[in-house]
Amino acid sequence: MSGLYIHIPFCRHKCCYCSFVSQPCTGSPPAAYLEALLKHIRQYSRLDWLKDREITSIFIGGGTPSLYDGKSLARLISACRYNFTCQPGLEISMESNPNSLSPAQLSLCREAGLNRLSIGVQSFNDRLLMVLGRSHDRNQARLAFSMARAAGFDNINLDLMYNLPGQSLDDWRETLRQVMALAPEHLSIYELSVEPGTPFAELWESRRLNLLAEEEVVEQENMTYTLLEDEGFERYEISNFARPGRQCRHNLNYWRNGSYLGLGAAAVSCLSGLRLRNIENAETYIKMVCQGLTPLAEGEALSIEASFRESVIMGLRMLKGVSLTDLQLRYDLHPLAYYGPILHRLIKRGLIAIDDNYMRLSAEALPVANQILAELV
Ligand code: SF4
């Protein structure tokens, strides 16, 4: 599998918790950035690496790609489809925010081939949305969802967050109740984390940000898992839930440590073990691409062992786990032999299980997954 990722680094304004590469922009994002992207697409479509390779998924992320109008987005999607050899019926996803969608724009995107929409809802509580510094309210989120359905999207993801400052268990239950009333196909649910360099980090350091106690977070998580299971969602990755057959194919490729090409400022590519990162600054990116230069900031060739460890760590994020046959075929390595006593200890403690030729985290390990994965880096 090979994915194509396109990064749009612009947002209405910066949310208080956000550490993604995006910059605030008033009005429409720069047309020059879109032109640079189109040129970058043409430039990279001639890469030798792409010969005999099909693109199996396209993901337009950000930032807020939906700040562009329908015509611009349709041009971008069509350019990807025209310049790369795409698998028939490939998944084409785009991230969006509730207050940057319109019926005409959604229809144009749909006609161009967009078949999966992700909406950054985060919460259905207006007070909490304000705390997060989001630029929309819950009514706009509901409206965005119904516009997407009306435009023909039958594969919609909602992004949600819990462990928000001052969020009670009832607040979270109410958000989930409203989500279920919309009946999306997919949910990405993340615990709020305080990232360095964000306004929340500043508040946290000066003790002006009150996150929930650990027991409250566990209560929120347990309620989420029970409710989603009852509603027919499968938890297939630590933070991702899907109705049958609606798992995100693009992200599955990441978790399987597959290859992908990243275009746009700050985008990362991983081409058969070669890791490349584009420069972050959007203006410099535009200038370089327009001058015919390759806008790379850095590159790294991963050793077989480093790539193996990444495959293990990423693969363990999926509840099914990582395939031992795949690891053997790809690296000629077995985790038990490679990690030795560290892995034996985790298995003995019941945190990692090996069965049916898959290695996976046990149910007890999931709440402390990050700590366990850190041991295998
Ligand atoms: S909309 Fe998303 S990418 Fe943009 S600032 Fe907010 S969290 Fe960051």
Side-chain angles (χ1 to χ4, degrees):
M1 284 177 75
S2 304
L4 174 62
Y5 176 78
I6 310 274
H7 191 70
I8 308 288
F10 306 104
C11 288
R12 277 261 173 278
H13 70 256
K14 209 66 187 155
C15 302
C16 301
Y17 56 90
C18 178
S19 62
F20 298 121
V21 178
S22 76
Q23 59 190 68
C25 96
T26 44
S28 303
Y33 185 79
L34 184 77
E35 295 306 324
L37 263 180
L38 296 173
K39 192 164 179 192
H40 200 182
I41 287 170
R42 289 192 292 272
Q43 196 185 48
Y44 268 39
S45 65
R46 294 192 287 267
L47 277 184
D48 260 6
W49 180 82
L50 280 162
K51 268 190 201 142
D52 310 322
R53 265 177 204 268
E54 273 190 338
I55 295 293
T56 50
S57 62
I58 300 174
F59 195 102
I60 306 173
T64 309
S66 55
L67 285 180
Y68 277 111
D69 60 33
K71 250 184 164 169
S72 304
L73 291 169
R75 266 183 86 202
L76 181 60
I77 296 163
S78 303
C80 295
R81 297 184 66 184
Y82 177 77
N83 285 283
F84 295 101
T85 308
C86 292
Q87 189 184 61
L90 83 168
E91 175 188 275
I92 307 181
S93 305
M94 183 179 80
E95 291 184 322
S96 68
N97 272 327
N99 56 349
S100 60
L101 290 170
S102 74
Q105 173 207 40
L106 285 166
S107 295
L108 285 169
C109 289
R110 190 80 192 87
E111 279 165 27
L114 191 73
N115 51 27
R116 183 174 185 275
L117 188 71
S118 179
I119 309 176
V121 166
Q122 315 309 347
S123 170
F124 276 104
N125 181 310
D126 284 343
R127 175 181 55 84
L128 293 172
L129 287 171
M130 277 184 70
V131 170
L132 292 174
R134 300 286 299 176
S135 57
H136 60 89
D137 62 24
R138 64 180 165 190
N139 286 333
Q140 287 171 311
R142 275 197 221 104
L143 182 65
F145 190 90
S146 48
M147 280 192 302
R149 283 285 194 242
F153 285 92
D154 62 0
N155 197 2
I156 302 181
N157 168 64
L158 301 184
D159 284 340
L160 300 170
M161 290 171 82
Y162 64 98
N163 185 21
L164 306 183
Q167 181 184 45
S168 70
L169 191 61
D170 280 345
D171 290 335
W172 179 230
R173 186 181 289 114
E174 179 55 20
T175 281
L176 291 175
R177 192 190 66 73
Q178 298 202 33
V179 167
M180 291 311 143
L182 296 176
E185 284 68 37
H186 191 283
L187 295 168
S188 296
I189 305 184
Y190 292 94
E191 178 184 352
L192 173 72
S193 62
V194 178
E195 300 297 331
T198 61
F200 269 6
E202 225 173 275
L203 290 174
W204 179 251
E205 275 150 28
S206 56
R207 298 172 190 268
R208 285 178 295 143
L209 184 74
N210 293 319
L211 294 181
L212 306 184
E214 211 176 306
E215 317 79 73
E216 293 175 291
V217 178
V218 171
E219 260 188 314
Q220 289 189 337
E221 287 173 344
N222 290 341
M223 184 186 69
T224 308
Y225 306 145
T226 310
L227 195 144
L228 292 191
E229 199 180 334
D230 289 350
E231 294 283 341
F233 282 90
E234 182 204 1
R235 186 184 185 193
Y236 70 102
E237 192 267 350
I238 292 174
S239 308
N240 284 277
F241 305 80
R243 294 201 188 278
R246 298 311 187 112
Q247 299 178 340
C248 176
R249 284 188 250 157
H250 187 81
N251 286 342
L252 279 173
N253 182 46
Y254 287 146
W255 298 317
R256 290 177 183 143
N257 206 8
S259 288
Y260 51 90
L261 183 64
L263 303 179
V268 172
S269 302
C270 195
L271 315 178
S272 312
L274 181 67
R275 175 86 33 91
L276 305 170
R277 197 169 58 78
N278 295 340
I279 46 158
E280 268 190 36
N281 183 283
E283 285 73 36
T284 317
Y285 170 83
I286 294 169
K287 267 191 213 145
M288 287 184 77
V289 174
C290 290
Q291 288 167 8
L293 302 172
T294 308
L296 284 181
E298 59 186 24
E300 179 194 10
L302 292 185
S303 68
I304 295 281
E305 292 197 358
S307 179
F308 168 78
R309 288 195 300 274
E310 277 196 357
S311 291
V312 169
I313 290 158
M314 300 292 283
L316 285 175
R317 292 193 61 86
M318 295 181 286
L319 269 75
K320 187 177 178 188
V322 54
S323 158
L324 299 179
T325 311
D326 285 354
L327 290 176
Q328 196 71 45
L329 286 171
R330 206 166 152 184
Y331 304 103
D332 197 20
L333 288 171
H334 192 291
L336 282 174
Y338 183 81
Y339 288 107
I342 305 174
L343 187 55
H344 283 287
R345 185 172 45 79
L346 292 170
I347 293 173
K348 208 166 161 198
R349 287 172 60 202
L351 297 170
I352 284 188
I354 293 186
D355 46 37
D356 291 336
N357 219 22
Y358 274 80
M359 180 167 93
R360 59 178 174 80
L361 293 178
S362 67
E364 301 74 54
L366 289 172
V368 285
N370 287 342
Q371 282 151 260
I372 295 166
L373 297 181
E375 293 203 40
L376 302 174
V377 172

